[in-house]
Amino acid sequence: MRQRIGRWIIPVFGGLAFVYLLVPIAYIFAFSFNDAGRTNLVWRGFTLANWLDPCGAPQVCQSLVNSLQVSVAATLAATVLGTAIALGLVRYRFRFRNTADLLIILPLATPEVVLGASLLAQFLNLGWNLGFATVVIAHTVFCMAFVVVTVRARVAGLDPKLEEAASDLYASPLATFRKVTLPLLLPGIVAAALLSFAMSFDDFIITNFNSGSFDTFPKFIYVAATRGIPAQANVIGSSMFLLALCVVVTGQVISYRKRKALAAR
Amino acid sequence: MALQAEEAVRNGTAEGHGLVLAGVTKRFADFTAVDDLSLTVPAGSFFALLGPSGCGKTTTLRMVAGLEQPTSGTIGIGGRDVTALPPYRRQVNTVFQSYALFPHMSVLDNVAFGLKQRRVRDARAQAKAALAMVELEHLGARKPAQLSGGQQQRVALARALVNRPAVLLLDEPLGALDMKLRRQMQVELKAIQTEVGLTFIHVTHDQEEAMTMADTVAVMNQGRVEQMGPPRQLYELPRTAFVANFLGRSNLMRGRVAEDLGQGLGVDVAGTRVVLPKARATEHHGSVVVGVRPEKVRIQRMDAPFTATANQLAGTVVDASFTGVSTEYLVDIPGVGLMGTFSQNLGQDPASPGEKVRLLWEPDYSFGLAGGEDTGAGGVRP
Amino acid sequence: MTAAPGLRGRHDAGRGRAPEGGPNPEEAAADKKRGRIGQLLVLPGFTFLLLFFAAPVVVLLAMSLYTKAPGAEIGQFEPALQFSNYAVVLREYWDVLVRSFAFALAATLAALLIGYPMAYLVAVRLRAHRLLQGILLVLLIAPFFSSFILRTQAWKQILADEGPVVGVLRALAVLPEDGRLTATAFAVVCGLTYNFLPFMTLPIYASLERLDTRLLEASGDLYASPMRTFRQVTLPLSMPGVFAGTLLTFIPASGDYVNAALLGNNRDTTMIGQVIDSRFFRVVDYPGAAALSFILMVAILVLVMAYIRRFGARNLF
C-alpha cells in the first residue's frame, strides 16, 4: 500500500505543478475572448472581436513588432558571440582565460535591476540615446551568458576523437569545423538560441531601464496595467504561447517519428 | 622514391609504403612517453606494437597519424619525411579505439568522408564497395548508434581502408569487443590485410592477438622497444625478462654459470646443474637467469623413469587446476620458487597437491637472460 | 602537398634549436598558435562584455559616489567620493534589503519543492515516453512567450478580493471574512515562485536526465528503500542541477520588482528593486540608486560565494 502511494505521489504532485504553471495562461486565453471594452478585469461576455482585430488597441502590435525585432537581433548577437566564447574557453588554454571565465559568468550572478541600472549609467555617461540599439545591447549581455553556459556543456561533451578522426580523414581544420564540430554542436546552439529568444522576448526590467520611449511588448503591458490592459494583449500573449508550443511540439513530433522510423528499420 | 610515393598518393594507388621512425622522442610536461624510438616497418607487412598500457604505443601511433608532434626525431612514410605534415595531409588512416564514427552521419557518409574530402569523383560508389568488403552494404543508410559493436568496428575499418592509405593504424581496434567476436575479427582483419596488401600498424596490449595477426611484433615498455621480431622468434627466444613474461608465460630461475660444456653452459640453479645452450644465452659468465616456457616442462612422479640428459628439478605440487584440455600445475622448487607447467590430458592420473614431483625439460628449450634482469618484469605470472 | 618542403624546413630549424629536455620550440609555437585561435574566438564577446558589463559596473560604482552640485537642477550631479551615500541609503532601506532576500529565499525554497518533482517526473518517470516528455518540457519554456507581466497580472486577477479563489477560501473559512490574498507578502512570494519556477526546474531536469536509472535499480537491489535510494543516489547525483537552479532562482528573485509592484502593497512588501527603480526614475537620485544597486550586487555575490563555499562549485554551470 505504501509502495503504491509512493508510485503515485510524484506524477500527481508533478502534474499539479504543471497545472499551477499553466493556470494563468488558461486565464489569459479565456480573457482574450472577453468583450472587455477598456479594461479587461471582469468577464463581460464572449466575443471573437479581439481575435479578429488583434491590433485594435493602440500600440499593441507596434510593441510586439519591436519586441520581435529586439529578440531576433539580441539572439543572433548572443548566439554568435557566446558560441565562439564557449569554443574558445573549452578548447584552448590561453592567458586571461580565468578572467574571461569569470567575466562571462558574472552577468548570471547579477540581478536584472543592477544590470539595467549599470547599463543605464553607462549609456547616460556615453551620451547615447536610449532606444532599439541600447535595448538590443542590454539583452545581448544577459543572453550571452546563457548561450555560453549551454553551448559550453555541449562542447565539453564532444569527443575530441571525432575531430581527430575527421582530420585523419583528410579534412582541413575548417572542413572539420564545418562538417563535424558545428553539426554536433548544433542542438546545443539551437537550444541556446531558443532560450535566448525566450528570455529576451519576456524581459521587462532591463528593458525598462534602457529603452527610453521605445516600447517592447512586456513594457507596454506593464505601463498599461495601471490603466487597464486591453484584451488584445491577451490575444497576442495567447497566440505567442500557442505559436511557440506549435513550433516546438511539431519539432518534437518530427524527431520522435524519425527516431521511431529508424528504430523500426 | 619520394616522388614515386607522392605520385602514388596523388593517383590514389598508394599501396603499403613502408614506415620509418628515426630517433623519435615524445616528452610531455612530466614524463617521457616515447624514448628515442627507431624502427622500420617494411611495406605491406602487418606490424604489431605490443605493450602494457602507458608503454607509449598509442603515443607512437598518434605521432605517425600526425595527431601528436614528436619532441624530436623524424617519421618517414614511403621514403618521404612527413614529420611536419598535419594529419589531413598524411596518407595515413586510423581505426580509433572507440571507432570515433561521426554520430550525425549515416554509415555510408562516414565511409565516404575521406574520399569526399579529397574530392574523389565516385566517392559513394567506392564507399559502397568498401562497405561490401566488410559485409555491411545493407546497413549504409543507418546511423552508427544503430549498429552493434562489431558492426561499428567494421565501419571504422572500412572508413579507413577505403582511402587506400600508405599505412593503416589500428589503435586497439578490438578492445571493446567480446572474446568470441574478437577472435572472429582477428581472422577477418588478417584476411583483409592479406587481400589489400597495405601496411598495418596494430597497437594492442593483448599478446595473443599480436602473435596471431602480426608478421612482426615489437614489444614496447616504458617508451622503448624491448625486442622486435616475428612472433615465433620472440616467443621461443625472449631476450629480456619483460618479453619473457609479457609475451606468454615463463619460468625464470636465477643461477650462476659453473662450467663451459662447449656447445652449452652448465648453470647452477639452487644446487642443481642445468644445461643452457650458448646460442640461446645473452651472457656466458657469472650470474644469469635461466628461463623455460611452461609448456616445454614435463611433470613426473618421483618413481617414474626419466632420461638423464634432460634438465630436472624436484619439488612439491602446490596447486593443480584441471582445465579440461590439460592440467595446470604450480610446483614449489626449494631455492627457486614456484614453477608452472601444463600436462596434456592423456587420461593419466594427475598429480595432486602435496605430492613430490620431478620437472624435466630438454636443454635446448632453455633460454638465458642477463643476471641483472628483474624476473618479475612484465607480468604477475609465476 | 606543395607546402610540405616549407613546413619541413621550418620544422628542422625548430628542432635544431631544441635544447635537450627543455620545452620544444616547435610545440611551444603550436601551443601559441592554438592559444591565439582561442583568444580570437573569445575576443569579440569578451570585448562586448568589457564594454557593456564590466565598464557599466565601474560607472555605476563611480556614480554611487557622486554628489549633488550646489544649486544644481534635479538630476544633475558631479563626480565626488561621497561615501556617505551608502550610509544614507543603507540606513533608510536596510529593512527593504533584508525583506528582499527573505522573499527571494522563500520563493527559492518553494520553487525547489515544486520544481524538483516536476523535473523528476519529466526526466525520470517519463523517460520511456519520449513524446510526452518533450511536450511537458516545452510547456516549461513556452510560458516565457506569453509575457510574465501578463501572467502576473492574471494571477492578480485570479487572486483578487472579488475573484473565485478568495471566495472559495472564505467560504471554507480558510481565510477570515475580510481576508485577502493580493497585496500581501504571501502573494508576492507566490508570484516570485511562479515566475522563476522554470529557472529552477530546467537545470534540475538537465542533471536528472543524465541520471542512469540502472543506478536506482542497483540501489534497490542492494536493499535500499525508495526513500533511501532517493536520498543517497538520486539527490546527490542531481545536486549540480539543484545548485544551479537555486542560484538561477534566488539571484533574479532578489532583484525583482514586478511581482512586488503588481501583487504587493505599498507598506510591507516593498522590494529593493522597486526602490532602485523609483530612485532612478521618479526621485532622480542617481547616486542613491547606484549605491543601492551596488549594495545589492555585492550582497548577492557574498551570499553566492558563501553558498558555493559551503556546497561546492563543482559542475555548477
Side-chain angles (χ1 to χ4, degrees):
Chain A
M1 189 62 203
R2 264 189 68 196
Q3 287 285 324
R4 195 158 297 166
I5 292 171
R7 275 202 67 75
W8 283 105
I9 201 158
I10 290 278
V12 167
F13 200 78
L16 282 175
F18 272 101
V19 171
Y20 170 61
L21 196 67
L22 297 174
V23 159
I25 291 164
Y27 179 92
I28 293 167
F29 187 64
F31 273 70
S32 69
F33 295 103
N34 189 13
D35 190 3
R38 265 188 61 80
T39 59
N40 194 8
L41 288 174
V42 286
W43 186 255
R44 290 217 182 83
F46 181 86
T47 178
L48 283 175
N50 308 319
W51 281 86
L52 295 174
D53 183 20
C55 295
Q59 288 167 6
V60 178
C61 282
Q62 185 53 47
S63 67
L64 175 69
V65 170
N66 288 348
S67 261
L68 289 174
Q69 285 173 339
V70 166
S71 303
V72 168
T75 299
L76 275 177
T79 306
V80 171
L81 294 174
T83 302
I85 288 182
L87 273 169
L89 284 185
V90 179
R91 282 301 167 79
Y92 303 96
R93 300 277 169 274
F94 51 88
R95 273 200 321 162
F96 309 122
R97 190 174 165 277
N98 291 335
T99 321
D101 221 11
L102 190 67
L103 185 64
I104 283 142
I105 295 306
L106 223 46
L108 282 178
T110 310
E112 286 181 87
V113 245
V114 180
L115 219 55
S118 63
L119 267 166
L120 174 61
Q122 169 83 327
F123 292 140
L124 287 175
N125 215 34
L126 294 171
W128 289 10
N129 286 328
L130 300 179
F132 177 77
T134 52
V135 175
V136 170
I137 287 174
H139 284 200
T140 307
V141 172
F142 71 83
C143 287
M144 212 161 96
F146 278 97
V147 173
V148 173
V149 171
T150 314
V151 177
R152 185 157 71 170
R154 192 90 195 172
V155 179
L158 187 67
D159 185 0
K161 280 261 178 343
L162 292 173
E163 285 167 317
E164 288 185 358
S167 178
D168 185 62
L169 292 164
Y170 313 104
S172 66
L174 194 67
T176 300
F177 182 76
R178 271 196 320 119
K179 294 274 175 63
V180 176
T181 315
L182 198 58
L184 289 173
L185 293 183
L186 206 59
I189 296 175
V190 168
L194 279 177
L195 191 64
S196 284
F197 188 89
M199 306 270 293
S200 166
F201 185 78
D202 201 21
D203 176 77
F204 166 69
I205 294 177
I206 294 178
T207 312
N208 194 34
F209 272 92
N210 294 291
S211 55
S213 60
F214 179 81
D215 275 358
T216 61
F217 186 58
K219 192 178 160 198
F220 166 79
I221 297 168
Y222 189 78
V223 175
T226 48
R227 21 182 185 88
I229 299 169
Q232 279 84 354
N234 289 38
V235 172
I236 287 172
S238 311
S239 43
M240 284 304 291
F241 172 78
L242 292 175
L243 194 70
L245 209 61
C246 280
V247 167
V248 190
V249 168
T250 310
Q252 290 273 356
V253 170
I254 288 173
S255 77
Y256 176 75
R257 285 251 172 87
K258 238 188 207 163
R259 237 190 333 257
K260 260 203 147 163
L262 280 172
R265 262 220 303 255
Chain B
M1 178 71 184
L3 253 173
Q4 265 175 2
E6 207 161 313
E7 195 170 312
V9 167
R10 215 177 301 118
N11 298 338
T13 57
E15 294 233 333
H17 295 286
L19 170 74
V20 180
L21 302 187
V24 170
T25 297
K26 178 66 182 179
R27 262 181 231 111
F28 290 107
D30 49 350
F31 76 109
T32 302
V34 177
D35 193 1
D36 195 23
L37 182 71
S38 295
L39 44 89
T40 302
V41 180
S45 65
F46 198 126
F47 187 91
L49 272 175
L50 173 69
S53 58
C55 74
K57 58 190 194 299
T58 294
T59 307
T60 307
L61 201 74
R62 289 173 59 82
M63 286 192 287
V64 175
L67 298 169
E68 211 84 67
Q69 267 291 309
T71 311
S72 65
T74 55
I75 297 167
I77 292 170
R80 228 173 122 236
D81 183 357
V82 299
T83 317
L85 288 186
Y88 52 93
R89 294 244 179 87
R90 293 187 188 197
Q91 189 61 7
V92 170
N93 290 109
T94 309
V95 177
F96 288 86
Q97 183 168 17
S98 48
Y99 315 137
L101 297 177
F102 304 125
H104 57 300
M105 295 179 195
S106 72
V107 165
L108 189 66
D109 286 338
N110 261 282
V111 177
F113 188 90
L115 298 170
K116 282 183 181 162
Q117 289 308 313
R118 286 187 303 157
R119 317 228 182 285
V120 172
R121 239 177 293 122
D122 53 346
R124 286 183 78 82
Q126 283 192 37
K128 274 183 186 154
L131 273 180
M133 184 176 68
V134 294
E135 291 165 7
L136 288 177
E137 64 269 50
H138 57 294
L139 298 180
R142 289 216 189 160
K143 291 278 170 69
Q146 296 169 291
L147 303 185
S148 70
Q151 289 170 334
Q152 290 186 20
Q153 206 282 329
R154 285 164 202 238
V155 174
L157 183 65
R159 185 177 73 172
L161 271 178
V162 73
N163 301 293
R164 297 268 150 179
V167 177
L168 183 82
L169 306 175
L170 302 133
D171 185 6
E172 307 250 7
L174 309 178
L177 305 180
D178 65 54
M179 198 53 128
K180 214 170 160 188
L181 204 53
R182 231 177 134 112
R183 293 282 169 261
Q184 183 193 337
M185 284 306 296
Q186 283 174 9
V187 175
E188 284 183 31
L189 254 181
K190 180 70 192 161
I192 286 172
Q193 194 265 338
T194 315
E195 188 185 320
V196 296
L198 301 176
T199 311
F200 276 37
I201 312 275
H202 182 174
V203 155
T204 178
H205 65 267
D206 181 339
Q207 42 101 11
E208 216 173 308
E209 189 172 297
M211 285 199 285
T212 41
M213 295 167 76
D215 309 324
T216 309
V217 176
V219 181
M220 274 189 86
N221 185 28
Q222 298 183 335
R224 294 167 175 277
V225 171
E226 289 263 338
Q227 193 178 344
M228 192 168 108
R232 192 176 185 93
Q233 185 192 324
L234 286 193
Y235 186 81
E236 298 298 357
L237 193 54
R239 274 6 230 133
T240 67
F242 181 86
V243 176
N245 287 327
F246 194 77
L247 202 70
R249 306 188 204 177
S250 290
N251 294 308
L252 298 178
M253 303 151 258
R254 292 198 177 282
R256 175 163 284 282
V257 177
E259 62 177 320
D260 194 325
L261 304 170
Q263 292 284 335
L265 300 166
V267 181
D268 252 348
V269 172
T272 311
R273 185 60 54 85
V274 171
V275 178
L276 169 65
K278 266 186 183 167
R280 293 174 60 85
T282 54
E283 312 255 328
H284 294 174
H285 307 283
S287 82
V288 293
V289 171
V290 178
V292 63
R293 295 292 189 180
E295 73 279 4
K296 306 285 193 323
V297 178
R298 276 172 292 139
I299 183 168
Q300 285 188 350
R301 293 209 164 77
M302 293 305 276
D303 51 7
F306 62 91
T307 39
T309 53
N311 288 327
Q312 53 169 298
L313 292 169
T316 313
V317 175
V318 175
D319 186 53
S321 47
F322 180 67
T323 65
V325 180
S326 61
T327 307
E328 285 188 46
Y329 295 99
L330 276 183
V331 179
D332 185 38
I333 313 289
V336 172
L338 291 177
M339 281 182 68
T341 177
F342 304 95
S343 151
Q344 196 187 337
N345 183 359
L346 298 170
Q348 81 275 37
D349 181 23
S352 38
E355 245 180 291
K356 291 267 184 212
V357 290
R358 187 178 282 128
L359 296 182
L360 306 114
W361 72 93
E362 293 308 318
D364 281 354
Y365 291 143
S366 311
F367 53 84
L369 309 173
E373 288 279 326
D374 169 16
T375 53
V380 287
R381 302 166 183 108
Chain C
M1 298 291 164
T2 47
L7 282 173
R8 197 183 314 160
R10 205 193 58 193
H11 170 76
D12 286 340
R15 196 154 39 89
R17 271 185 274 117
E20 251 336 281
N24 177 12
E26 172 101 5
E27 222 161 286
D31 278 358
K32 214 169 166 186
K33 194 177 151 211
R34 285 174 59 79
R36 213 171 308 132
I37 297 174
Q39 278 169 330
L40 225 59
L41 280 170
V42 176
L43 195 68
F46 190 77
T47 314
F48 186 86
L49 284 178
L50 223 50
L51 271 176
F52 298 112
F53 176 70
V57 169
V58 174
V59 170
L60 188 75
L61 180 63
M63 192 181 262
S64 71
L65 301 172
Y66 281 13
T67 179
K68 201 163 189 154
E73 287 173 46
I74 284 179
Q76 286 201 318
F77 301 91
E78 58 183 28
L81 288 175
Q82 187 87 28
F83 288 101
S84 61
N85 287 346
Y86 281 85
V88 170
V89 291
L90 260 183
R91 205 176 311 125
E92 195 167 345
Y93 297 111
W94 175 253
D95 294 348
V96 178
L97 198 64
V98 171
R99 182 189 300 137
S100 300
F101 286 131
F103 282 7
L105 185 67
T108 305
L109 291 178
L112 180 61
L113 281 178
I114 299 170
Y116 200 102
M118 275 172 112
Y120 189 86
L121 174 68
V122 179
V124 181
R125 281 296 176 81
L126 296 179
R127 194 168 284 188
H129 312 275
R130 296 296 288 260
L131 193 59
L132 187 58
Q133 191 185 32
I135 289 170
L136 287 183
L137 207 54
V138 174
L139 284 180
L140 268 178
I141 306 168
F144 280 117
F145 288 93
S146 65
S147 180
F148 91 103
I149 295 177
L150 212 48
R151 282 178 290 138
T152 310
Q153 188 66 28
W155 272 123
K156 185 178 177 178
Q157 279 162 239
I158 292 167
L159 301 177
D161 293 347
E162 60 277 11
V165 179
V166 169
V168 169
L169 289 180
R170 279 181 185 165
L172 292 174
V174 178
L175 271 180
E177 226 14 72
D178 57 345
R180 52 193 314 208
L181 290 174
T182 46
T184 60
F186 177 76
V188 175
V189 172
C190 280
L192 289 171
T193 307
Y194 176 80
N195 277 315
F196 296 107
L197 191 55
F199 291 92
M200 178 66 83
T201 312
L202 287 172
I204 298 176
Y205 166 80
S207 60
L208 281 176
E209 195 209 4
R210 284 190 291 251
L211 179 75
D212 186 345
T213 42
R214 283 174 303 181
L215 292 177
L216 307 185
E217 285 163 16
S219 173
D221 185 56
L222 295 166
Y223 315 109
S225 66
M227 199 53 217
R228 209 178 149 81
T229 298
F230 176 77
R231 276 211 343 259
Q232 305 219 322
V233 182
T234 315
L235 194 59
L237 286 172
S238 61
M239 266 330 262
V242 171
F243 205 71
T246 46
L247 285 176
L248 285 176
T249 306
F250 180 80
I251 295 166
S254 55
D256 180 80
Y257 64 80
V258 173
N259 288 286
L262 292 180
L263 298 170
N265 56 46
N266 284 327
R267 290 167 286 112
D268 57 1
T269 65
T270 310
M271 288 180 72
I272 196 73
Q274 279 170 289
V275 176
I276 295 175
D277 181 70
S278 80
R279 285 271 125 188
F280 248 111
F281 294 113
R282 284 192 212 139
V283 186
V284 201
D285 168 21
Y286 293 157
L292 270 179
S293 305
F294 214 74
I295 290 167
L296 177 62
M297 186 177 180
V298 170
I300 284 181
L301 280 180
V302 168
L303 288 174
V304 167
M305 286 302 170
Y307 186 59
I308 290 175
R309 178 94 20 118
R310 174 72 180 75
F311 294 102
R314 205 164 275 271
N315 301 326
L316 176 51
F317 291 115

